């Protein structure tokens, strides 16, 4: 301890001898844009991949919602990854509805890939939005893969919960602090706060309806919880169009619609329809199927005032 503090003092002295204060490391480009460094996380629009793990290039894989893998999605500018977890043989997997229908592998393998991206891209803020339909235990099943992959060390823990939309740190602050992953869970984190970095989604983010089959995407506040008011939440548009197969009630996503659904005009129109619920603000997250099709990132840049 003594040696360490002596060294620190010596370094400080050398620094002051060489003139003035040594500035702490500051990110100058955040998520690819200098303009975003000084912007609150709550005032940025991010591109999201719905069912990010459910990728396949096989058109016959009806349970897929993406065509390209996680590194490719991130490479396309996706900065929110959504996925649905199921317990399979006592271990958490990402699966679509059931692991028999589509098994995307273990959450730990998935998070290892995400960690590789974060290590290679130190100036990126990333959001993980996972769903927990089986109510898997946070300390017993969710925390272990986050710890093993190293993502837990990068996850932001707010000083108190819920965080108002206007109270989030800037992207630059998140990057500079090394805590640049925001983790939301749809169910479980509201009642169990024993894993502090796993945040209760609906207390801070509201969502538009899902399984939408109307291509005009009429906006409404579908899922939200208190105590914060609607405009003090961030929000996500679930901008994926589903097809009711032969009116059977079976809903699947359709890549043939994706060029239209993922166009700038369709996304921006959906956002405009929601601003009435958000004091005129753009959505924080634009969640898409088939992120490699259409122009999702262009729409997001436009909503961020960057285009
Ligand atoms: C960042 O934002 C703060 C407060 O909003 C402002 O005072 C400061 O000038 C901004 N810095 C830059 C580099 O834009
Ligand atoms: C960020 O703030 C600007 C200015 O108030 C607003 O136009 C924009 O919609 C906001 N974006 C988000 C995602 O809150
Ligand atoms: C976070 C999330 O993905 N919310 C919903 C968006 O829509 C899909 C279906 O299209 C739902 O499964 C998700 O829960």
């Amino acid at each position: 301890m003594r040696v360490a503090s002596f060294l620190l003092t010596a370094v400080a002295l050398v620094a002051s001898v060489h003139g003035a204060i040594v500035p702490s490391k500051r990110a100058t480009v955040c998520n690819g844009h200098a303009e975003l460094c000084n912007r609150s996380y709550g005032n940025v629009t991010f591109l999201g991949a719905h069912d990010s793990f459910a990728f396949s290039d096989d058109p016959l894989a009806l349970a897929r919602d993406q065509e390209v893998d996680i590194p490719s999605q991130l490479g396309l500018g996706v900065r929110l990854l959504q996925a649905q977890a199921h317990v399979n043989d006592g271990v958490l997997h990402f699966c679509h509805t059931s692991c028999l229908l589509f098994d995307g592998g273990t959450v730990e393998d998935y998070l290892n890939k995400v960690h590789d991206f974060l290590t290679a891209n130190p100036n990126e803020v990333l959001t993980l939005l996972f769903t927990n339909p089986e109510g898997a235990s946070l300390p017993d099943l969710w925390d272990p893969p986050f710890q093993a992959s190293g993502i837990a060390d990068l996850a932001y823990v707010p000083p108190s919960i819920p965080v108002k939309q206007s109270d989030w740190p800037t992207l630059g602050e998140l990057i500079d602090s090394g805590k640049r992953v925001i983790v939301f869970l749809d169910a479980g984190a509201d009642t169990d706060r024993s894993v502090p970095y796993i945040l209760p989604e609906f207390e801070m983010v509201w969502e538009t309806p899902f399984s939408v089959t109307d291509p005009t995407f009429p906006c409404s506040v579908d899922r939200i919880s208190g105590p914060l008011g609607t405009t003090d939440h961030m929000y996500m548009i679930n901008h994926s169009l589903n097809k009711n197969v032969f009116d059977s009630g079976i809903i699947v996503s359709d890549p043939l619609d994706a060029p239209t659904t993922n166009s700038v005009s369709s996304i921006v129109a959906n956002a405009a329809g929601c601003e009435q619920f958000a004091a005129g603000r753009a959505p924080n997250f634009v969640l898409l199927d088939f992120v490699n099709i259409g122009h999702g990132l262009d729409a997001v840049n436009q909503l961020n005032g960057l285009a």
Side-chain angles (χ1 to χ4, degrees):
M1 277 320 266
R2 253 191 216 163
V3 175
S5 77
F6 167 75
L7 281 176
L8 280 178
T9 311
V11 168
L13 281 175
V14 170
S16 66
V17 167
H18 281 273
I21 311 124
V22 178
S24 55
K25 196 184 75 146
R26 275 279 168 86
T28 51
V29 175
C30 301
N31 285 35
H33 298 277
E35 300 90 323
L36 294 181
C37 287
N38 209 20
R39 195 103 61 91
S40 160
Y41 171 77
N43 185 225
V44 175
T45 304
F46 299 92
L47 180 62
H50 178 231
D51 284 337
S52 53
F53 66 94
F55 59 85
S56 167
D57 54 16
D58 177 1
L60 297 179
L62 287 183
R64 69 177 184 159
D65 282 327
Q66 301 293 340
E67 289 183 341
V68 299
D69 63 11
I70 302 299
S72 305
Q73 292 173 29
L74 292 164
L76 287 164
V78 165
R79 291 295 176 270
L80 172 138
L81 293 168
Q82 190 264 354
Q84 187 187 97
H86 294 264
V87 184
N88 198 3
D89 286 334
V91 177
L92 218 50
H93 282 230
F94 283 134
C95 298
H96 197 182
T97 313
S98 124
C99 291
L100 293 174
L101 194 60
F102 193 110
D103 185 353
T106 66
V107 171
E108 185 173 330
D109 282 348
Y110 176 104
L111 290 179
N112 282 333
K113 291 192 192 100
V114 174
H115 192 265
D116 288 345
F117 168 83
L118 290 165
T119 305
N121 296 278
N123 285 350
E124 298 293 323
V125 173
L126 179 72
T127 303
L128 300 174
L129 172 51
F130 295 151
T131 67
N132 190 23
E134 294 169 4
S137 157
L138 274 65
D140 298 340
L141 289 168
W142 281 100
D143 187 42
F146 275 98
Q147 298 294 347
S149 63
I151 302 266
D153 293 333
L154 300 175
Y156 175 67
V157 180
S160 66
I161 283 175
V163 184
K164 276 167 69 171
Q165 176 270 335
S166 55
D167 284 349
W168 288 90
T170 63
L171 297 197
E173 286 165 344
L174 291 169
I175 290 167
D176 292 344
S177 71
K179 305 293 182 186
R180 54 197 173 91
V181 180
I182 319 293
V183 183
F184 289 112
L185 200 62
D186 72 333
D190 45 346
T191 49
D192 183 350
R193 297 291 321 130
S194 67
V195 184
Y197 63 86
I198 301 185
L199 309 177
E201 177 193 359
F202 295 115
E203 292 181 19
M204 292 174 261
V205 182
W206 62 262
E207 282 187 22
T208 60
F210 57 87
S211 298
V212 171
T213 53
D214 178 345
T216 67
F217 291 99
C219 192
S220 60
V221 180
D222 190 53
R223 293 191 289 170
I224 187 169
S225 71
L228 294 176
T230 306
T231 54
D232 282 332
H233 283 67
M234 300 187 286
Y235 74 105
M236 183 176 82
I237 56 172
N238 227 344
H239 192 81
S240 47
L241 187 64
N242 294 272
K243 265 210 159 42
N244 194 339
V245 184
F246 308 120
D247 287 327
S248 61
I250 298 172
I251 301 253
V252 297
S253 53
D254 186 350
L256 297 179
D257 292 323
T260 310
T261 303
N262 295 352
S263 66
V264 172
S265 58
S266 178
I267 293 168
V268 168
N270 188 354
C274 288
E275 287 174 1
Q276 59 184 308
F277 303 109
R281 283 184 297 105
N284 297 87
F285 309 108
V286 173
L287 195 68
L288 301 181
D289 285 337
F290 307 113
V291 289
N292 59 313
I293 302 175
H295 295 97
L297 189 61
D298 292 340
V300 163
N301 285 337
Q302 186 170 321
L303 292 168
N304 278 324
L306 298 169

